[in-house]
Amino acid sequence: MQGTEDEIQIVPETDSFPLMELGRMQAKETWDFVLVSDLQKTNPKRSHRRQRFLAELEKTGFIIKEVEDRRRLFCGIRAHSRLFSQYTELLKDTSYSSSVTLPMGPEPTTTARIRIVNFILRSKEVDGEKFDDLMRDHVFEAKFPLHEREECLWNSWARWRDIFQRQPIDKIRNCFGEKVALYFAWLGWYTVMLVPAAVAGLVVFLSGFSLFHASQISKEVCDANDTIMCPLQDHQRKYWRLSETCTFAKLTHLFDNEGTVFFAIFMALWATVFLELWKRERAHTASHWNLYGWDEDQEELALELINNPNYQLRKHQHSYLRSSAILLCSLVMICLLIGMAHVLVLYRVMATVFFSHSALPFLEQQLTTAVVATGALVHYMTIVVMTKVNKKVALKLCDFEKPRTFSERESNFTVKFFTFQFFTHFSSLIYTAFFLGRINGHPGNQVRIGGQWRLEECHPSGCMMDLFVQMAIIMGLKQTLSNCVEYLSPWLTYRIRKLKDWPQSRRLHDPSLEEWLKNYSLKEVNVFSLFDEFMEMMIQYGFTTIFVAAFPLAPLLALFSNIFEIRLDAIKMVRLQRRLVPRKANDIGTWLQVLEAIGVLAVIANGMVIAFTSEFIPRLMYKYYYGPCSQRSNSTTDCLTGYVNHSLSVFHTKDYKDPLPSQEIEGVTECRYRDYRNKVDYNYSSEFWFLLASRLAFVILFEHVALCGKLIAAWFVPDVPQIVKNKALEEKFYNLREKLCLCSRVTDV
């Protein structure tokens, strides 16, 4: 090939279709899909398979235009209108333009065309091979629909300057289909509903500042210069004064105060009201799109019949043996993920040893804080790696399960992948909240790993500080680093491809090829592109609700993140990624059940955090049962006076079995530690068992109150607005009346 005129080869279009369709095609030069082949990987056999596939598409009813540059072959394809007229008759589809009518039927919208053509491409079988098989064998390199930039919200939505503008959901639907539009509708609704939750959490957090200097417990901790505490680590074997934790004791009261209980109940009710109001919004949106009664099974059957009139119906099947095998494999995977949490425990134990010998004075002084912070970082890295593993395992299990349809496969995959992701993200947090520092034994008789390394203790100011720090670091990293990678990855891909194709794009004379190259330069998308966005939001929703009692700022962080997430996803989909294949839907599918499950788990987890992790129950019991106010006296003494001394047990240093700690503080005969044990035999005291019973009673009471509140809220807020119900009822009434009139006319004739 020599000169610019020879660099592009255009294969003439077929003329096997009506002239009107062909003439209109040539005028508009619009295409449903573009198929790309890498000529550098092509051999005669692959070229023959490609031509066979394209020839079969022409027989089916496609117009094909082939354009070749130096390295790739681009094939623009467009389906004949008769395919869509069949679709209209089978489903009475409402997603069609009323302004354009062809001889074969109404003109479909672009999203409807792309959806149907994509199904035909994926289902078309030539010589026993489908398109995915040809992709795997490098016969084709890529397949994508084209962006419509003048219509697809380029200047009205996908810009950072529009960050606080209302989302044009109908326009999103017209460009990307109902599935994507519902995702943005849900994300926008979730973001708006986060405002009251964020305000409530901020109020609870700021209310702690009123106790920052006035708290009786903080005062006692700061004044406890004579209270000698037992060593927390083996390799930093020294006594320390309780007053050293004065600052952390004050900080703990920012999120571990009386308002935490009411905030946890509020969040349980908030989660229910949010879901119920979303169901109403979803019903209104689906009704507006005339999709309220849409049947997904009927849609998929219609597409199968259009593609193959001899299609054999695949019926529902269930195998107890197959289900048992999948359940067993899932349990093994869950045990592995829980085991990863134990690996993190080992890391924190080893990090304690390493940091205690560090040359940096700060690490030695703030050993516990450094271990908690780096442990959270390692937890985040584990999440990133295990997410890829979880996805592959969930896909393998779905392949083994052999679902009947794509939607059924997607639903099954959602449940499995979310379950694995839940244990990946929350196993370490569950350990921190409910096991850290509670299975360690007592001074002189600590539980050790392999008989050598002592288990990690809670932060000196309490286990709530550990949970708060871990939640803050994981949520902060997940919202910032993940969003940066999410944006930079497609942006860099686009820039690199543009640089590679820039010399050739300057010499192009075919406007179609120029547009195809622009779309080809964008980042690839797949069936998981939208799924990953949903999963990211589900995990965030879990962090926002499940351990919100320990981190009341979670809704506020989620709110700020979502404000940017909406515009980030918009820019990605419109400017940086290839166009997603539109999918039809009237709800968010299985994700709604996932949200409801998270809401129930949040009630259980927050009740247990308040009861077992925070100091709320011990403070309450001391205030009304052990403290100075227990006798109902009218004394002006603070009811929590003496609580710190009451919550610390005594250990006699002469009872140390291993070598004694360093005597930096001389004359120590006894030290204190956080627990409720006798100072004679170190068994649990009567106060411990009384507190345990009180904690269990609180969990039961809290969960019943919260769950009853959720049920009342769900009953009080109807899922479907009355206007939507009345509209559906009217449609049924008028359809029946029309059929009755038709029957009467036939009878009269």
Side-chain angles (χ1 to χ4, degrees), residues 5 125 227 280-281 343 390:
E5 295 295 326
E125 188 170 333
T227 303
R280 291 174 61 85
E281 179 69 13
V343 172
N390 293 341

Side-chain angles (χ1 to χ4, degrees), residues 116-268:
I116 297 169
V117 170
N118 178 68
F119 185 88
I120 295 174
L121 285 175
R122 291 180 63 251
S123 304
K124 176 64 66 178
E125 188 170 333
V126 180
D127 297 332
E129 291 182 314
K130 292 187 177 181
F131 188 83
D132 290 342
D133 300 322
L134 299 177
M135 287 274 290
R136 280 191 292 268
D137 201 23
H138 304 292
V139 176
F140 289 102
E141 178 190 357
K143 166 180 71 86
F144 54 86
L146 297 173
H147 280 288
E148 297 173 314
R149 296 186 177 181
E150 69 283 359
E151 298 176 7
C152 277
L153 315 167
W154 182 272
N155 294 319
S156 61
W157 179 53
R159 300 183 302 180
W160 288 113
R161 71 180 69 174
D162 299 322
I163 193 168
F164 295 110
Q165 298 295 322
R166 185 181 178 88
Q167 295 190 92
I169 299 300
D170 287 337
K171 291 183 179 179
I172 298 172
R173 178 212 179 193
N174 294 336
C175 287
F176 296 105
E178 290 81 4
K179 193 86 171 179
V180 173
L182 281 169
Y183 164 73
F184 281 103
W186 175 83
L187 182 55
W189 187 258
Y190 171 42
T191 303
V192 170
M193 289 295 293
L194 275 173
V195 173
V199 170
L202 187 61
V203 168
V204 170
F205 187 78
L206 293 179
S207 66
F209 279 103
S210 64
L211 301 174
F212 198 77
H213 296 291
S215 170
Q216 176 64 28
I217 297 176
S218 298
K219 288 179 180 179
E220 291 187 3
V221 170
C222 294
D223 295 339
N225 295 314
D226 297 330
T227 303
I228 309 301
M229 303 296 291
C230 299
L232 292 176
Q233 296 92 19
D234 281 343
H235 296 274
Q236 195 182 34
R237 300 178 59 80
K238 63 180 182 180
Y239 299 110
W240 53 283
R241 289 182 171 86
L242 181 61
S243 57
E244 295 175 18
T245 64
C246 175
T247 302
F248 284 106
K250 293 179 179 179
L251 291 174
T252 301
H253 280 280
L254 293 178
F255 49 86
D256 185 8
N257 52 62
E258 285 71 14
T260 304
V261 179
F262 300 102
F263 181 60
I265 296 177
F266 168 80
M267 287 301 295

Side-chain angles (χ1 to χ4, degrees), residues 407-602:
S407 58
E408 187 176 321
R409 173 187 172 86
E410 184 181 44
S411 178
N412 295 344
F413 175 74
T414 300
V415 173
K416 294 176 179 61
F417 188 38
F418 174 78
T419 302
F420 296 155
Q421 286 293 86
F422 176 83
F423 282 96
T424 300
H425 284 78
F426 293 101
S427 290
S428 179
L429 293 174
I430 291 172
Y431 171 80
T432 302
F434 307 125
F435 297 98
L436 179 64
R438 293 169 179 79
I439 55 176
N440 295 28
H442 59 82
N445 187 27
Q446 283 91 4
V447 176
R448 299 179 180 273
I449 299 175
Q452 183 175 2
W453 295 296
R454 176 179 170 181
L455 284 178
E456 181 191 6
E457 298 281 353
C458 286
H459 192 274
S461 60
C463 296
M464 281 287 278
M465 178 60 73
D466 295 87
L467 190 57
F468 178 87
V469 171
Q470 194 164 352
M471 283 278 293
I473 292 177
I474 292 174
M475 275 203 76
L477 288 176
K478 194 156 184 63
Q479 305 304 328
T480 54
L481 291 183
S482 297
N483 283 347
C484 289
V485 172
E486 191 177 340
Y487 180 78
L488 290 176
S489 177
W491 184 82
L492 290 175
T493 300
Y494 174 70
R495 291 299 176 187
I496 292 171
R497 286 180 175 173
K498 286 287 288 184
L499 288 174
K500 288 182 179 179
D501 294 332
W502 182 72
Q504 293 171 299
S505 62
R506 295 181 60 192
R507 299 191 294 268
L508 295 178
H509 297 282
D510 189 313
S512 294
L513 181 58
E514 184 178 358
E515 185 66 20
W516 296 351
L517 278 172
K518 287 180 181 178
N519 282 264
Y520 175 78
S521 300
L522 302 175
K523 184 176 175 60
E524 301 91 342
V525 294
N526 51 48
V527 294
F528 295 113
S529 297
L530 185 61
F531 179 92
D532 291 338
E533 302 295 343
F534 263 118
M535 180 60 73
E536 180 185 355
M537 288 297 103
M538 294 300 129
I539 296 299
Q540 186 212 78
Y541 183 76
F543 279 115
T544 305
T545 55
I546 292 181
F547 287 107
V548 73
F551 190 50
L553 294 180
L556 184 64
L557 288 183
L559 174 63
F560 288 147
S561 174
N562 286 2
I563 291 174
F564 290 95
E565 180 75 22
I566 292 174
R567 224 45 67 173
L568 173 62
D569 289 344
I571 293 172
K572 278 195 316 178
M573 290 188 182
V574 175
R575 296 172 178 262
L576 301 177
Q577 289 181 347
R578 294 172 186 169
R579 187 175 186 175
L580 284 168
V581 175
R583 289 186 58 192
K584 207 169 183 179
N586 61 0
D587 60 22
I588 60 175
T590 310
W591 296 115
L592 185 61
Q593 284 73 47
V594 171
L595 290 170
E596 290 176 341
I598 291 175
V600 175
L601 289 173

